C-alpha cells in the first residue's frame, strides 16, 4: 500500500511534503526501541508513513552481516527519512546525507540536524544554515530541525527546505510544547509544512501542537521510552488526528465569564 493511500486520515487532508502526499501527519523515529520487532509494532500502531533513520547509528545495509531496519520497515511501505543525528558540524551532516543517498539508491529526502553541544542537544543554527544551503544546492529535499526562532525558520524556508521542524522543547525532554506563541508565529508565516520535532512527552502534547496549526509531529523518545511503546504509539496516532480535526473545526473563543449552553431567548414563563 502506498503512503498516499494508507487509511490513516481523510484523503482530502493529506500531508504534502516535496510534492508527495502522506495520509498520516505523525512521523516516528526508529531508535531506542528494545529490538526490531518492537520498532515494527510501534510504527504500525502509530500509523506513520514517514520514519526517520539515524544513518550513523542504524544498519540499513552498511553491514550485510547484521539485521537491517529495512527488513521490518521496507521502503515499499514506508518513506525512509535518513537523518543526521549525532552530527555536530555542517561537513559531518552533508557527508552523512550523501552516504544515505548512496545506500538508498539516490533517495534525496533527508532530515537535517546539526547539534550544538552534547548537554542540551540544541541545534547549532549557524551550522544548520550552512549545511542546508549546501544540501539544497546538491539536489537534496531537506526537512530541517531547528530552534523555534521565527526568523530563522523563515530563512530556512527561503533557502529551499521542503519542511521546517522547530523544537517544542529539548530533544528527549518530554516537556511538551513550551513555545506555543513562537510556533504560532512560525506557522502563520510559513508556506512549507511546519512539523514539531522534539520535546513531546505524551498524547496531549501532540494534540496541542496540531491544534496550533502545525502540519505534523515527529517523535521517537515519547513512544520508545514509554512503559508500553506500542500502546503509546496508538495514543499518539489518535492525538495527532484529534488535534488536526480540532484545528480545522475552529475552537470557540476564550471568555472570562459563563456562556449558557442553550439559548435563553424564548424561555417559557
Amino acid at each position: 500500500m502506498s503512503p498516499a493511500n494508507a487509511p490513516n486520515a481523510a484523503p482530502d487532508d493529506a500531508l504534502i511534503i516535496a510534492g508527495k502526499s502522506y495520509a498520516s501527519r505523525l512521523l516516528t523515529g526508529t531508535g531506542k526501541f528494545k529490538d526490531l520487532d518492537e520498532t515494527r509494532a510501534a510504527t504500525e500502531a502509530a500509523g506513520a508513513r514517514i520514519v526517520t533513520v539515524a544513518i550513523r547509528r542504524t544498519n540499513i545495509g552498511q553491514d550485510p552481516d547484521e539485521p537491517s531496519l529495512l527488513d521490518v520497515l521496507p521502503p515499499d511501505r514506508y518513506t525512509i527519512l535518513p537523518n543526521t543525528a549525532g552530527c555536530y558540524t555542517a561537513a559531518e551532516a552533508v557527508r552523512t546525507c550523501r552516504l544515505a543517498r548512496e545506500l538508498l539508491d539516490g533517495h534525496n529526502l533527508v532530515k537535517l540536524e546539526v547539534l550544538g553541544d552534547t548537554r542540551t542537544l540544541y541545534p547549532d543554527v549557524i551550522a544548520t544554515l550552512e549545511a542546508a544551503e549546501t544540501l539544497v544546492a546538491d539536489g537534496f529535499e531537506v526537512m530541517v530541525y531547528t530552534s523555534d526562532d521565527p526568523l530563522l525558520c523563515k530563512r530556512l524556508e527561503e533557502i529551499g527546505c521542503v519542511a521546517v521542524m522547530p523544537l517544542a522543547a529539548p530533544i528527549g525532554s518530554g516537556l511538551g510544547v513550551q513555545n506555543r506563541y513562537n510556533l504560532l508565529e512560525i506557522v502563520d508565516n510559513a508556506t512549507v509544512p511546519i512539523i514539531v520535532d522534539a520535546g513531546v512527552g505524551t498524547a496531549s502534547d501532540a494534540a496541542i501542537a496540531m491544534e496550533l496549526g502545525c502540519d505534523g509531529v515527529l517523535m521517537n523518545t515519547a513512544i520508545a521510552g514509554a512503559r508500553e511503546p506500542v500502546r503509546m504509539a496508538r495514543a499518539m496516532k489518535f492525538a495527532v488526528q484529534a488535534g488536526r480535526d480540532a484545528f480545522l473545526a475552529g475552537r470557540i473563543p476564550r471568555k472570562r465569564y459563563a456562556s449558557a449552553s442553550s439559548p435563553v431567548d424564548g424561555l417559557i414563563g
Side-chain angles (χ1 to χ4, degrees):
M1 181 180 294
S2 67
N5 295 324
N8 296 317
D12 58 348
D13 187 39
L15 172 63
I16 309 294
I17 298 178
K20 189 173 182 179
S21 63
Y22 299 91
S24 175
R25 293 177 178 270
L26 174 58
L27 295 69
T28 56
T30 54
K32 303 183 180 181
F33 293 99
K34 68 179 181 181
D35 53 34
L36 289 179
D37 285 340
E38 186 175 77
T39 304
R40 175 194 53 75
T43 304
E44 290 178 351
R49 310 316 302 168
I50 300 177
V51 293
T52 65
V53 178
I55 295 299
R56 304 184 74 189
R57 301 171 182 161
T58 307
N59 181 37
I60 60 170
Q62 306 97 307
D63 188 345
D65 298 323
E66 293 293 327
S68 170
L69 179 72
L70 303 186
D71 293 336
V72 296
L73 300 178
D76 62 341
R77 287 193 60 200
Y78 299 95
T79 292
I80 305 299
L81 181 63
N83 70 55
T84 60
C87 291
Y88 288 85
T89 67
E92 275 185 314
V94 170
R95 187 166 56 250
T96 300
C97 288
R98 288 172 174 161
L99 171 62
R101 183 159 63 182
E102 291 180 13
L103 290 170
L104 294 171
D105 300 322
H107 181 84
N108 283 325
L109 185 66
V110 295
K111 180 196 167 190
L112 170 65
E113 58 181 84
V114 185
L115 302 179
D117 66 74
T118 57
R119 186 177 70 87
T120 66
L121 298 182
Y122 259 67
D124 181 332
V125 296
I126 296 174
T128 298
L129 282 166
E130 179 186 345
E133 289 178 332
T134 299
L135 290 169
V136 170
D138 196 20
F140 284 93
E141 295 170 327
V142 180
M143 300 173 64
V144 58
Y145 165 70
T146 184
S147 67
D148 64 325
D149 180 338
L151 298 180
L152 177 64
C153 289
K154 193 63 181 178
R155 176 63 184 139
L156 289 164
E157 177 186 327
E158 292 168 347
I159 285 172
C161 295
V162 299
V164 177
M165 310 176 74
L167 54 79
I171 291 174
S173 67
L175 290 172
V177 178
Q178 296 296 305
N179 45 15
R180 64 180 62 198
Y181 295 107
N182 279 23
L183 287 178
L184 281 170
E185 184 68 17
I186 293 166
V187 168
D188 285 348
N189 290 283
T191 59
V192 298
I194 300 300
I195 298 173
V196 160
D197 181 11
V200 169
T202 191
S204 58
D205 300 330
I208 288 170
M210 297 303 296
E211 288 172 4
L212 290 171
C214 293
D215 297 282
V217 180
L218 188 153
M219 65 185 75
N220 185 193
T221 305
I223 293 175
R227 186 171 62 248
E228 296 184 44
V230 176
R231 184 185 293 269
M232 182 61 81
R234 187 166 59 249
M236 293 297 189
K237 171 184 175 180
F238 294 135
V240 167
Q241 291 176 353
R244 178 64 177 175
D245 279 346
F247 169 73
L248 294 176
R251 63 159 294 133
I252 63 171
R254 291 180 172 88
K255 299 178 181 179
R256 294 179 59 194
Y257 49 86
S259 178
S261 298
S262 301
V264 295
D265 293 342
L267 288 179
I268 296 174

